[in-house]
């Protein structure tokens, strides 16, 4: 057969280099004929060509990974997540504020302290505690968003590294999308499962002290005993 001497050579299997350029070599060239030495190529030329192809595949895979992670919708998702964490924490803070205000009001009334300097001082502390609580709410929301972003970047770096080990672009893109979903669910589970914590501990301590004092006074009255040592 004319030209039979070229059977098995790259210039016969893929004379224009189309298979190699298209990336379809595994399907169109299952025997790896395009990886064999072409006419006029030295072993060093073959090695250089294959390395260029490998680097091109790595670049293509990494570009697919970055495209998934750089999608603008992810930034909006994180922003919405931060807002949701902030809203939930603020609801918790406002609930605590309502409860603490009610307890303080009753405590002051029981102790006959309504309208006095103690009343003014404790209400000022209430306001200070609430403002600190607002800072904690914002810190928690921003922290949750930062942790989610960090998890995304860790996932990106892992896939970028795997690309150098032969991970193909399609698989990398699929794993990138799955990683984003997993990170988001994990972040929600952690952020929504944590309570804000007691933001009005100082007021709670004051109320507890007043309650204990009232209980002691009641016990003294019940025993017909007063602070001057008198009795029934």
């Amino acid at each position: 057969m004319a030209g039979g001497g070229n059977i098995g050579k790259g210039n016969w299997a893929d004379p224009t280099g189309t298979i190699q350029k298209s990336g379809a070599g595994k399907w169109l060239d299952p025997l790896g004929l395009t990886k064999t030495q072409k006419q006029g190529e030295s072993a060093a030329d073959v090695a250089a060509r294959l390395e260029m192809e490998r680097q091109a595949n790595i670049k293509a895979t990494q570009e697919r990974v970055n495209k998934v992670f750089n999608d603008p919708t992810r930034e909006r998702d994180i922003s919405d997540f931060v807002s949701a964490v902030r809203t939930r924490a603020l609801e918790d803070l406002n609930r605590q504020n309502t409860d603490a205000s009610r307890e303080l009001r009753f405590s002051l009334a029981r102790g006959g302290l309504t309208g006095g300097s103690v009343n003014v001082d404790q209400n000022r502390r209430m306001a200070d505690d609430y403002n600190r609580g607002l800072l904690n709410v914002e810190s928690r929301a921003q922290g949750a968003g930062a942790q989610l972003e960090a998890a995304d970047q860790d996932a990106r770096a892992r896939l970028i590294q795997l690309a150098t080990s032969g991970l193909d672009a399609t698989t990398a893109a699929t794993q990138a999308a799955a990683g984003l979903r997993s990170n988001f669910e994990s972040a929600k589970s952690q952020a929504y499962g944590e309570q804000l914590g007691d933001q009005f501990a100082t007021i709670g301590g004051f109320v507890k002290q007043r309650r204990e004092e009232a209980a002691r006074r009641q016990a003294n009255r019940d025993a017909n005993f007063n602070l001057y040592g008198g009795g029934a």
Side-chain angles (χ1 to χ4, degrees), residues 123-184:
N123 277 284
R124 183 175 63 251
R125 290 187 179 183
M126 273 282 300
D128 290 343
D129 287 347
Y130 185 79
N131 288 331
R132 279 193 295 271
L134 289 176
L135 294 177
N136 290 336
V137 164
E138 187 61 25
S139 176
R140 168 166 294 200
Q142 295 298 330
Q147 288 180 355
L148 178 52
E149 289 179 338
D152 284 354
Q153 294 309 312
D154 286 345
R156 183 206 297 259
R158 181 181 64 83
L159 291 172
I160 290 293
Q161 179 60 37
L162 286 176
T164 65
S165 301
L167 183 66
D168 66 273
T170 300
T171 302
T174 299
Q175 291 187 11
L180 290 178
R181 290 192 298 271
S182 176
N183 289 344
F184 190 61

Side-chain angles (χ1 to χ4, degrees), residues 13 19-20 24-35:
I19 295 175
Q20 290 293 333
K26 291 183 179 179
W27 177 62
L28 296 176
D29 186 27
L31 298 180
L33 298 179
T34 60
K35 294 184 179 181

Side-chain angles (χ1 to χ4, degrees), residues 24-71:
K26 291 183 179 179
W27 177 62
L28 296 176
D29 186 27
L31 298 180
L33 298 179
T34 60
K35 294 184 179 181
T36 61
Q37 188 173 354
K38 296 180 181 180
Q39 188 173 15
E41 274 190 326
S42 65
D45 291 335
V46 173
R49 174 165 54 82
L50 294 179
E51 177 59 20
M52 289 179 62
E53 292 170 359
R54 189 181 75 86
Q55 292 298 330
N57 289 335
I58 291 174
K59 181 180 179 181
T61 298
Q62 292 178 341
E63 287 177 348
R64 285 286 296 278
V65 169
N66 285 326
K67 182 178 180 180
V68 173
F69 282 98
N70 292 337
D71 189 330

